[in-house]
Amino acid sequence: MKIKQVGTRNFIFTYYDSEDWDLNLQLIIGEKYNYIIDPGIGAHTLNPMINFASVRNQNPFIIINTHYHWDHIWANCLVKEATIISHRSCIEAITRDWERSIQKNKVYLKDPVEMRLPSLVFEERLEFFEDRIILFHTPGHTYDSISVYDQAEQVLNVGDNIGDTPELIIPELECNVDIYRDSVLKYKALNPKMIISGHNQPMKSEVLDRILGELATNSSS
Ligand SMILES: [Zn+2]
């Protein structure tokens, strides 16, 4: 696990499974809560963040599921006594995809996991005022995709709404392109200093213009 500090209270934990697959998880050390943006696939991805935060303060954890895909949510079941937050539609999507995701990806399974669903869901937006953290619905990669914005440090986590490599910045989309574009425009309005995504490197907000440009080119060709 590689840990990269990207602000006073923002840390990216990157798990490398092989040369072509890595997973970025994020920890925000808040005043009231500590926020884990995607617990990952097991104790080996979740516990380094729990341990890292626990030596800094004793705040309760808020676990966020950016969307229902297996690599972001398997470790939900290993979370003790924490609230797990997602979009409303994530519950149904996890339930529907669970068996398939285990069968297809069991080579990545290190600890036994069972399905654990989010315990707090929202539709459009959820805000933690004390910590200046906003969660908001940003469909595109999946219908249930949400993003997390740290207003204090202008760090934005878009889940998998950016593609997996520096060249491939548009992700696989379950939603149509117009819906995805609206989510990218929501990002632009925030003017983030740094953008974190599930499988790419941290980026500046210029990537949003590149995405919008590529969407425009694709739709006119
Ligand atoms: Zn995904």
Side-chain angles (χ1 to χ4, degrees):
M1 207 89 177
K2 198 178 113 201
I3 305 172
K4 184 178 163 78
Q5 182 162 13
V6 293
T8 312
R9 64 179 191 171
N10 272 283
F11 302 86
I12 304 173
F13 286 68
T14 302
Y15 172 68
Y16 297 89
D17 187 85
S18 61
E19 290 203 359
D20 58 343
W21 192 75
D22 55 61
L23 175 66
N24 300 314
L25 311 167
Q26 186 184 346
L27 170 69
I28 306 173
I29 305 281
E31 292 289 322
K32 184 162 187 199
Y33 297 105
N34 296 327
Y35 302 80
I36 287 177
I37 306 175
D38 288 335
I41 58 176
H44 56 300
T45 61
L46 172 66
N47 289 350
M49 294 186 282
I50 302 264
N51 297 339
F52 187 93
S54 299
V55 297
R56 283 160 177 79
N57 64 38
Q58 295 305 310
N59 293 347
F61 287 94
I62 296 281
I63 311 289
I64 297 166
N65 289 166
T66 58
H67 61 298
Y68 72 91
H69 284 161
W70 64 279
D71 46 333
H72 301 259
I73 57 105
W74 270 358
N76 277 1
C77 62
L78 303 168
V79 170
K80 295 180 194 77
E81 296 167 13
T83 303
I84 303 177
I85 302 181
S86 75
H87 188 257
R88 180 185 53 78
S89 63
C90 183
I91 289 196
E92 194 257 322
I94 291 177
T95 308
R96 178 171 24 90
D97 196 50
W98 182 262
E99 252 338 289
R100 188 207 65 85
S101 85
I102 297 277
Q103 289 311 320
K104 177 150 185 269
N105 304 295
K106 55 177 167 235
V107 290
Y108 298 108
L109 202 54
K110 289 206 175 151
D111 319 288
V113 289
E114 55 188 41
M115 186 168 73
R116 167 111 173 257
L117 297 170
S119 52
L120 175 64
V121 299
F122 68 96
E123 189 68 52
E124 282 304 321
R125 183 184 159 99
L126 180 68
E127 187 157 357
F128 289 85
F129 291 99
E130 303 92 337
D131 285 325
R132 303 189 64 203
I133 304 283
I134 302 172
L135 284 62
F136 56 110
H137 187 209
T138 49
H141 173 61
T142 59
Y143 180 73
D144 70 331
S145 290
I146 61 170
S147 301
V148 183
Y149 190 49
D150 177 347
Q151 291 179 296
E153 301 200 331
Q154 291 176 266
V155 174
L156 173 67
N157 188 313
V158 301
D160 283 358
N161 260 346
I162 290 180
D164 293 355
T165 66
E167 298 74 36
L168 201 80
I169 50 174
I170 297 179
E172 286 182 27
L173 298 176
E174 287 181 7
C175 297
N176 77 39
V177 168
D178 293 335
I179 289 175
Y180 175 61
R181 184 187 295 108
D182 285 347
S183 293
V184 176
L185 290 171
K186 279 189 202 171
Y187 297 150
K188 245 186 95 74
L190 295 170
N191 193 26
K193 282 205 180 114
M194 174 172 287
I195 302 176
I196 298 167
S197 55
H199 307 285
N200 212 322
Q201 57 201 33
M203 294 190 177
K204 301 277 181 204
S205 63
E206 286 81 8
V207 71
L208 303 174
D209 292 316
R210 276 181 60 209
I211 291 174
L212 292 168
E214 288 190 19
L215 292 176
T217 312
N218 294 351
S219 66
S220 65
S221 61

